[in-house]
Amino acid sequence: GGILIQKVADLSPGSMMGLQGGVFIMEIEGEKLLVGGDIVLNIMGVKIENSDDMLDVKKKLVDLKSKDEIKVQVMRQGKIVELKYVIP
């Protein structure tokens, strides 16, 4: 499971926490994807296996306030890395 990160917007929370987008274009089943980026495995304790899991993440994000921390676990180049972002 997980979500492949293809691109990360400049100055976004994802960028500020260090998420890395893809670097290689690959065609999979007729669709061009930017691969080689992080694969998000877990967001704030919610294991990401399908799109329904993102609904659980959204529910947690809605309740966050200034100074709260968002923790994201990613697979990066075969290793699990934890990224953090503190809401300004």
Side-chain angles (χ1 to χ4, degrees):
I3 296 173
L4 171 66
I5 302 299
Q6 294 188 65
K7 293 183 181 181
V8 180
D10 291 339
L11 303 176
S12 68
S15 169
M16 290 186 240
M17 76 169 44
L19 275 177
Q20 295 181 1
V23 292
F24 306 104
I25 296 174
M26 181 176 275
E27 190 168 322
I28 300 173
E29 294 183 11
E31 184 177 348
K32 288 186 180 181
L33 299 173
L34 200 52
V35 299
D38 291 336
I39 298 172
V40 177
L41 304 174
N42 187 304
I43 302 172
M44 298 181 56
V46 178
K47 189 173 181 182
I48 307 300
E49 295 182 336
N50 58 53
S51 58
D52 290 340
D53 296 329
M54 290 308 297
L55 295 174
D56 293 334
V57 170
K58 286 179 184 179
K59 289 175 189 173
K60 286 190 170 208
L61 292 176
V62 166
D63 294 330
L64 295 178
K65 48 194 172 300
S66 181
K67 307 281 192 246
D68 284 346
E69 185 175 68
I70 299 172
K71 292 182 182 178
V72 177
Q73 188 180 64
V74 300
M75 175 74 68
R76 179 179 290 164
Q77 298 176 350
K79 296 179 182 169
I80 294 178
V81 178
E82 184 171 279
L83 307 174
K84 296 176 185 176
Y85 175 73
V86 176
I87 297 173

